[in-house]
Amino acid sequence: QVQLVESGGGLVQAGGSLRLSCAASGRTLSGYTMAWFRQVPGKEREFVAAIRWSSGSRYYTDSVQGRFTISRDNAKNTVYLEMNSLKPEDTAVYYCAADSRIMVATMRRLVEYDYWGQGTQVTVSS
């Protein structure tokens, strides 16, 4: 019921910044949780950040706290991930995810999300 398309990935030097976008279509996002995950080849996909669409409440994994900011634009049905002070270990494919029935206690779990984008590559050089 929700289609997600990511964009904004690319190559950046360590210490630089990127802003990822995830455009949603198919229905309104009121009541949804939107999240960003990332994955390195051979590794498990891991939680990065999430936002409650209606309230705007934000949640982050420890490794990006203070460097990344997740936000949303209601009019555009789009969620963003602003990434600052990037490190080589941030290199990964970043995926947007969404679902309507996720509690705070479970929003970091991959299996809780039904809707996923195709991913966008972020590469941080040293």
Side-chain angles (χ1 to χ4, degrees), residues 51-117:
I51 186 169
R52 297 280 191 172
W53 193 262
S54 297
S55 69
S57 297
R58 302 178 178 91
Y59 308 87
Y60 301 93
T61 192
D62 289 344
S63 63
V64 307
Q65 181 72 49
R67 299 189 297 120
F68 291 10
T69 302
I70 188 170
S71 61
R72 85 278 195 256
D73 186 325
N74 290 332
K76 297 181 179 180
N77 252 28
T78 299
V79 64
Y80 304 95
L81 184 67
E82 183 177 346
M83 305 182 293
N84 299 311
S85 301
L86 282 163
K87 305 174 181 179
E89 50 263 45
D90 295 318
T91 295
V93 176
Y94 283 70
Y95 296 89
C96 181
D99 214 302
S100 62
R101 298 184 298 109
I102 298 178
M103 300 176 65
V104 172
T106 60
M107 67 171 55
R108 291 171 174 80
R109 301 174 184 173
L110 176 68
V111 296
E112 296 293 331
Y113 293 84
D114 289 336
Y115 307 104
W116 292 87

Side-chain angles (χ1 to χ4, degrees), residues 27-32 53-54 77 100:
R27 64 169 297 162
T28 60
L29 298 176
S30 179
Y32 272 71
W53 193 262
S54 297
N77 252 28
S100 62

Side-chain angles (χ1 to χ4, degrees), residues 2-7 21-25 34 76-79 96:
V2 178
Q3 295 79 49
L4 306 173
V5 179
E6 303 100 329
S7 62
S21 299
C22 176
S25 63
M34 302 288 292
K76 297 181 179 180
N77 252 28
T78 299
V79 64
C96 181

